[in-house]
């Protein structure tokens, strides 16, 4: 175990900092400009149209406890932090997380890309609770206990693999005025083990219970074998498996495991930057996002009963979606620049909104509209947080 962990750490040393940087900043590329478009209003849907069962949605990824607090300049200076930045925690930052909790009033949220998405899906659906199952690795520590409580409060059915070698992954959001300095310590999130968790009978039963699966590409750096096992299960049982490209470096430096899982992908998500990198790495020889979407759609696929759907968000320019043989463009919701508070988590929110309708067998257009709605709500608030109830019709 420890030899393998050391090997993984060494292998990941160079990519980890890029990994985090892009994890938290990917949405900024997407949403930091003024979005403009008209959104058609559909007739109000009756909630009782579709009954959603528990554990119908399955997510697996890197769980992080988000710790948000308003701090002073002295605190930033002490740990060498810029007021508006995102970095990976170094040794000098290790004590910072505990000091933050002791010295300032903090808010905790269950975070990490995939966990954010399933949390948003649950919020959009409201009832029943525990629509989504979530797997990931945490530590046997106080932050782990808080993360479990926060996931429970969000009504996500989280079943974490708990180990004592590494502490629970955390992301500190140090707020000064309108700025946020993000410091992430992935820690335990990097330690997920297929044989110690996913392969256990009681856990695998939860995988089998689901009909829709979603995993952010970031998890491919942690446990590609877990991702592949879930993807194959979905394919063999004609269920839906969704994957997010997550960051350009995933398309570049994790190309081999990414392309191993691609034949099982029913819905591929990404933003315009990731799409462009993916196209270059795959030798698509085009920079046209609609062409890239078509070529990604036509990559080899194991389950021929479902044609792959490709969804590329691209900020104010609307979302590109392949459906059958056509490529469609869906405009995003209008928002004033002054109303944008925090663009982190908007990409995760889009997927969460999309999944909330997908689990209810709603049409593709409605999935996209729900994604746009959720992202529009999230960027008006600090952190990946949301009001008590959605107002999506």
């Amino acid at each position: 175990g420890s030899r393998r962990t050391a090997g993984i750490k060494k292998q990941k040393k160079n990519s980890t900092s890029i990994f985090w940087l892009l994890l938290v900043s990917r949405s900024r590329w997407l949403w930091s400009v003024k979005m403009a478009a008209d959104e058609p209003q559909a007739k109000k849907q009756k909630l009782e149209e579709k009954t959603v069962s528990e554990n119908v949605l399955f997510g697996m990824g890197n769980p992080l406890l988000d710790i948000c607090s308003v701090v002073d300049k002295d605190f930033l200076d002490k740990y060498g932090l810029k007021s508006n930045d995102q970095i990976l925690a170094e040794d000098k930052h290790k004590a910072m997380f505990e000091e933050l909790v002791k010295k300032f009033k903090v808010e905790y949220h269950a975070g990490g890309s995939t966990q954010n998405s399933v949390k948003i899906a649950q919020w959009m659906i409201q009832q029943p609770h525990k629509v989504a199952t979530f797997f990931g690795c945490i530590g046997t520590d106080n932050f782990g206990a808080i993360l479990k409580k926060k996931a429970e409060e969000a009504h996500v059915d989280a079943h974490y693999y708990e180990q004592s070698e590494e502490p629970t992954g955390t992301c500190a959001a140090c707020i000064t005025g309108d700025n946020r300095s993000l410091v992430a310590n992935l820690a335990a999130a990097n330690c997920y083990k297929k044989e110690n968790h996913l392969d256990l009978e009681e856990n695998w039963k939860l995988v089998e219970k689901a009909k829709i699966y979603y995993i952010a590409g970031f998890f491919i750096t942690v446990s590609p074998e877990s991702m592949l096992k879930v993807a194959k299960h979905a394919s063999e049982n004609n269920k839906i498996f969704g994957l997010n490209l997550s960051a350009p470096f995933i398309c570049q430096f994790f190309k081999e495991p990414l392309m191993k899982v691609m034949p099982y992908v029913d819905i591929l998500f990404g933003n315009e930057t990731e799409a462009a990198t993916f196209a270059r790495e795959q030798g698509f020889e085009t920079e046209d996002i609609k062409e890239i979407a078509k070529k990604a759609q036509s990559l080899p696929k194991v389950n021929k009963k479902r044609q792959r759907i490709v969804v590329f968000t691209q900020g104010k320019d609307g979302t590109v979606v392949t459906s059958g043989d056509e490529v469609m463009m869906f405009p995003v919701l209008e928002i004033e620049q002054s109303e944008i508070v925090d663009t982190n988590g908007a990409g995760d929110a889009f997927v969460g909104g999309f999944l909330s309708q997908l689990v209810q067998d709603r049409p593709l257009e409605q999935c996209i509209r729900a994604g746009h709605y959720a992202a529009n709500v999230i960027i008006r608030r600090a952190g990946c947080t949301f009001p008590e109830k959605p107002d999506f019709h």
Side-chain angles (χ1 to χ4, degrees):
S2 62
R3 266 218 317 274
R4 182 163 175 254
T5 308
I8 291 170
K9 280 181 183 164
K10 190 175 174 188
Q11 177 193 337
K12 282 190 254 175
K13 196 175 176 187
N14 295 334
S15 62
T16 310
S17 51
I18 320 170
F19 167 36
W20 174 254
L21 186 68
L22 290 160
L23 166 63
V24 291
S25 64
R26 67 186 296 261
S27 303
R28 287 213 168 135
W29 299 326
L30 280 172
W31 300 96
S32 62
V33 271
K34 180 182 182 298
M35 304 181 186
D38 297 316
E39 189 74 354
Q41 287 300 312
K43 283 178 188 167
K44 210 167 185 176
Q45 297 272 352
K46 285 183 186 171
L47 283 173
E48 58 268 23
E49 262 183 32
K50 298 272 181 191
T51 51
V52 185
S53 55
E54 285 186 9
N55 307 107
V56 70
L57 175 63
F58 176 86
M60 183 162 58
N62 302 334
L64 299 175
L65 178 67
D66 290 341
I67 308 170
C68 309
S69 181
V70 175
V71 302
D72 50 38
K73 192 177 180 298
D74 289 346
F75 185 80
L76 294 184
D77 293 343
K78 180 178 178 180
Y79 290 102
L81 304 176
K82 293 173 190 165
S83 61
N84 198 15
D85 201 8
Q86 49 273 324
I87 61 164
L88 196 73
E90 296 169 34
D91 284 341
K92 67 177 179 183
H93 300 119
K94 295 287 156 76
M96 189 194 83
F97 296 90
E98 294 293 348
E99 186 180 338
L100 192 64
V101 173
K102 286 193 183 113
K103 206 168 175 181
F104 303 97
K105 184 172 180 280
V106 300
E107 265 187 34
Y108 296 109
H109 300 284
S113 186
T114 303
Q115 192 163 233
N116 275 341
S117 292
V118 298
K119 195 170 79 168
I120 295 274
Q122 176 65 60
W123 169 71
M124 289 282 286
I125 292 162
Q126 292 283 303
Q127 295 286 349
H129 293 161
K130 296 189 174 182
V131 165
T133 310
F134 178 77
F135 286 4
C137 183
I138 64 170
T140 50
D141 51 16
N142 185 41
F143 284 156
I146 296 169
L147 184 50
K148 283 196 275 189
K149 184 169 167 277
K150 288 293 156 187
E152 199 179 322
E153 283 172 13
H155 308 303
V156 170
D157 194 16
H159 293 255
Y160 298 117
Y161 166 48
E162 298 178 47
Q163 48 74 58
S164 53
E165 279 177 39
E166 286 282 342
T168 298
T170 44
C171 177
C174 305
I175 303 158
T176 50
D178 291 339
N179 294 315
R180 286 172 102 230
S181 189
L182 297 167
V183 186
N185 182 26
L186 296 170
N190 270 330
C191 302
Y192 190 84
K193 301 275 187 291
K194 172 178 167 285
E195 60 279 10
N196 293 356
H197 194 260
L198 186 69
D199 292 346
L200 302 185
E201 192 185 354
E202 66 269 27
N203 292 332
W204 188 250
K205 273 182 180 162
L206 285 165
V207 176
E208 290 177 325
K209 203 175 171 184
K211 291 188 172 70
I212 314 278
Y213 302 84
Y214 173 71
I215 304 178
F218 294 122
F219 196 63
I220 217 157
T221 71
V222 175
S223 184
E225 59 281 4
S226 295
M227 195 186 267
L228 203 54
K229 184 176 181 178
V230 170
K232 282 180 176 173
H233 167 80
S235 181
E236 284 159 12
N237 294 277
N238 195 28
K239 296 174 181 181
I240 298 171
F241 180 78
L243 177 74
N244 205 316
L245 292 175
S246 292
F249 88 91
I250 298 288
C251 310
Q252 288 172 292
F253 306 118
F254 291 87
K255 197 191 312 191
E256 195 186 339
L258 180 67
M259 295 320 288
K260 262 188 191 163
V261 82
M262 197 58 73
Y264 305 100
V265 176
D266 297 296
I267 307 175
L268 181 68
F269 296 96
N271 67 26
E272 78 276 38
T273 317
E274 294 146 12
T277 307
F278 183 71
R280 273 198 307 276
E281 291 296 325
Q282 296 301 317
F284 285 174
E285 293 182 349
T286 179
E287 288 178 12
D288 181 281
I289 193 150
K290 288 187 172 182
E291 284 302 311
I292 294 170
K294 269 185 177 168
K295 285 179 183 282
Q297 181 189 36
S298 59
L299 286 168
K301 192 168 187 300
V302 173
N303 179 13
K304 303 283 193 279
K305 290 176 193 162
R306 294 183 188 277
Q307 188 175 17
R308 183 178 294 123
I309 295 167
V310 179
V311 183
F312 289 147
T313 53
Q314 45 170 5
K316 65 176 174 53
D317 298 325
T319 300
V320 173
V321 185
T322 65
S323 176
D325 295 329
E326 57 178 334
V327 183
M328 298 177 291
M329 182 85 82
F330 290 89
V332 297
L333 283 160
E334 195 174 308
I335 186 166
E336 293 292 334
Q337 184 68 42
S338 60
E339 292 175 321
I340 298 173
V341 175
D342 182 0
T343 55
N344 287 304
D348 300 336
F350 172 84
V351 173
F354 186 102
L355 295 172
S356 75
Q357 305 305 297
L358 188 66
V359 299
Q360 297 175 78
D361 297 322
R362 300 260 161 87
L364 181 61
E365 185 181 345
Q366 177 122 333
C367 296
I368 301 290
R369 282 205 319 111
H372 287 163
Y373 167 78
N376 186 275
V377 168
I378 261 59
I379 60 179
R380 295 167 190 270
R381 304 165 67 91
C384 192
T385 62
F386 34 80
E388 192 187 342
K389 287 193 172 162
D391 182 26
F392 175 72
H393 307 300

